[in-house]
């Protein structure tokens, strides 16, 4: 999982930059305090610390190994002194670890993991200063090209995509209404995507990990011939002989805690 997240960060760098641009445009001023909710291996934390050199980033996650990875990466990137990790559960009173209200809250591919997203959104609202900005990112879909995945079996990629959808993958979520209900206004939603191609080493590795994980999820849904073809595709990715690519969609919400709202009945802080 950690390797997949790091590859996602490298290949999805344009999405990250566009999301940071959107947040900076809405904020208007340089953020000094940021919280990264479900920080994982630190994709968002490192990008935030790099983009906003005056900011301190509080990186929250419930998995210690993820935070260890993040700490090492922050040191390597030279931003370790501006990053503090907190081993904490977003299903609990996570706002208590923050020393002050923050200017920017960031929740990338993490909100769908929590048991009560509406509560986390209210907590994020309370953790932000008035005028502060919350950025939420989720996957919006993925497709593979060419449609035979280079296997010669027409439509294999479509059958893989359909079988995955039957199991709820990729996990998508729609937060526009929930953000409004948590009193964020305005709420913008940006549709973004990035390409990963097996013609690069990083792209081939990313696709190999993705398709290997997905193969196990849908093994019972594919015919024996399709499964054998998919195994051959995964082998070709490992051998560097595949030209498969994937287009991975992201929805990015940029939501503001209004300036003129000093209190919030539902806020948990
Ligand atoms: C898919 S990863 C995304 C990581 C990172 N934000 C990124 O964009 O690469 C989801 C992260 O959320 C964390 N997570 C899931 N549920 C959580 C919870 N209840 N409290 C804190 N962290 C949680 C996981 O440990 C994982 O690191």
């Amino acid at each position: 999982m950690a390797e997949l997240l790091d590859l996602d960060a490298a290949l999805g760098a344009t999405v990250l930059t566009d999301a940071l641009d959107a947040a900076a445009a809405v904020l208007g001023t340089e953020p000094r305090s940021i919280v990264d909710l479900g920080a994982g291996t630190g994709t968002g934390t490192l990008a935030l610390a790099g983009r906003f050199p005056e900011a301190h980033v509080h990186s929250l996650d419930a998995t210690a190994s993820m935070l260890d990875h993040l700490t090492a990466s922050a040191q390597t990137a030279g931003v370790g002194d501006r990053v503090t990790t907190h081993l904490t559960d977003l299903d609990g009173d996570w706002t208590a670890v923050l020393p002050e209200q923050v200017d920017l809250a960031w929740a990338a591919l993490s909100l769908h993991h929590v048991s009560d997203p509406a509560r986390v959104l209210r907590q994020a609202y309370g953790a932000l200063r008035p005028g502060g900005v919350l950025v939420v990112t989720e996957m919006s879909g993925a497709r593979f090209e060419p449609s035979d995945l280079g296997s010669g079996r027409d439509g294999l990629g479509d059958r893989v995509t359909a079988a995955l959808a039957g199991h709820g993958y990729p996990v998508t979520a729609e937060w526009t209404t929930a953000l409004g209900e948590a009193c964020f206004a305005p709420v913008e939603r940006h549709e973004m995507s990035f390409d990963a191609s097996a013609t690069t080493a990083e792209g081939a590795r990313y696709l190999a990990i993705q398709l290997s994980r997905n193969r196990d999820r849908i093994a019972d849904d594919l015919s024996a011939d399709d499964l054998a073809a998919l195994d051959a595709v995964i082998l070709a990715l490992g051998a560097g002989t595949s030209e498969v690519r994937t287009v991975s969609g992201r929805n990015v919400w940029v939501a503001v805690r209004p300036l003129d709202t000093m209190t919030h009945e539902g806020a948990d802080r």
Side-chain angles (χ1 to χ4, degrees):
M1 184 60 170
E3 184 183 4
L4 192 59
L5 289 178
D6 282 351
L7 285 166
D8 202 84
L11 294 162
T14 52
V15 167
L16 205 49
T17 303
D18 289 349
L20 289 165
D21 286 348
V26 172
L27 263 175
T29 57
E30 280 288 301
R32 303 191 74 83
S33 186
I34 300 175
V35 63
D36 186 3
L37 304 171
T41 54
T43 300
T45 294
L46 296 193
L48 288 158
R51 173 63 179 262
F52 302 117
E54 292 174 18
H56 195 99
V57 185
H58 295 274
S59 308
L60 279 53
D61 206 285
T63 304
S65 58
M66 289 286 185
L67 293 180
D68 290 345
H69 187 115
L70 185 156
T71 300
S73 299
Q75 292 294 349
T76 304
V79 297
D81 57 334
R82 291 191 293 112
V83 171
T84 303
T85 59
H86 303 270
L87 183 61
T88 188
D89 189 345
L90 295 175
D91 289 321
D93 181 19
W94 55 267
T95 61
V97 306
L98 300 175
E100 61 203 348
Q101 282 189 312
V102 299
D103 303 298
L104 178 58
W106 185 270
L109 309 180
S110 55
L111 192 56
H112 67 264
H113 282 290
V114 306
S115 18
D116 188 352
R119 176 172 187 245
V120 173
L121 291 180
R122 290 196 304 274
Q123 289 171 303
Y125 183 101
L128 284 165
R129 65 159 169 82
V133 170
L134 168 65
V135 177
V136 180
T137 301
E138 296 285 3
M139 291 189 74
S140 60
R143 68 172 195 276
F144 299 102
E145 294 173 0
S147 69
D148 69 351
L149 302 180
S151 69
R153 284 187 68 77
D154 200 27
L156 176 64
D158 297 337
R159 291 192 290 281
V160 167
T161 303
L164 283 169
H167 290 273
Y169 291 98
V171 178
T172 61
E174 171 54 65
W175 299 120
T176 308
T177 302
L179 284 160
E181 287 171 355
C183 296
F184 286 95
V187 175
E188 299 172 0
R189 194 186 72 160
H190 303 258
E191 293 179 13
M192 304 182 186
S193 66
F194 68 88
D195 286 19
S197 166
T199 53
T200 70
E202 276 181 336
R205 181 69 185 144
Y206 180 75
L207 278 155
I209 297 175
Q210 286 271 19
L211 285 179
S212 299
R213 286 161 60 99
N214 289 338
R215 180 226 185 264
D216 295 340
R217 288 175 176 136
I218 60 174
D220 293 340
D221 305 305
L222 296 182
S223 69
D225 286 346
D226 273 355
L227 198 56
L230 182 57
D231 286 337
V233 170
I234 294 167
L235 277 177
L237 284 164
T241 56
S242 169
E243 294 188 354
V244 174
R245 66 191 278 267
T246 183
V247 181
S248 191
R250 296 285 185 277
N251 280 327
V252 179
W253 288 265
V254 179
V256 180
R257 173 175 173 163
L259 264 179
D260 56 1
T261 308
M262 301 310 290
T263 58
H264 179 294
E265 279 183 6
D268 289 295
R269 172 180 171 150

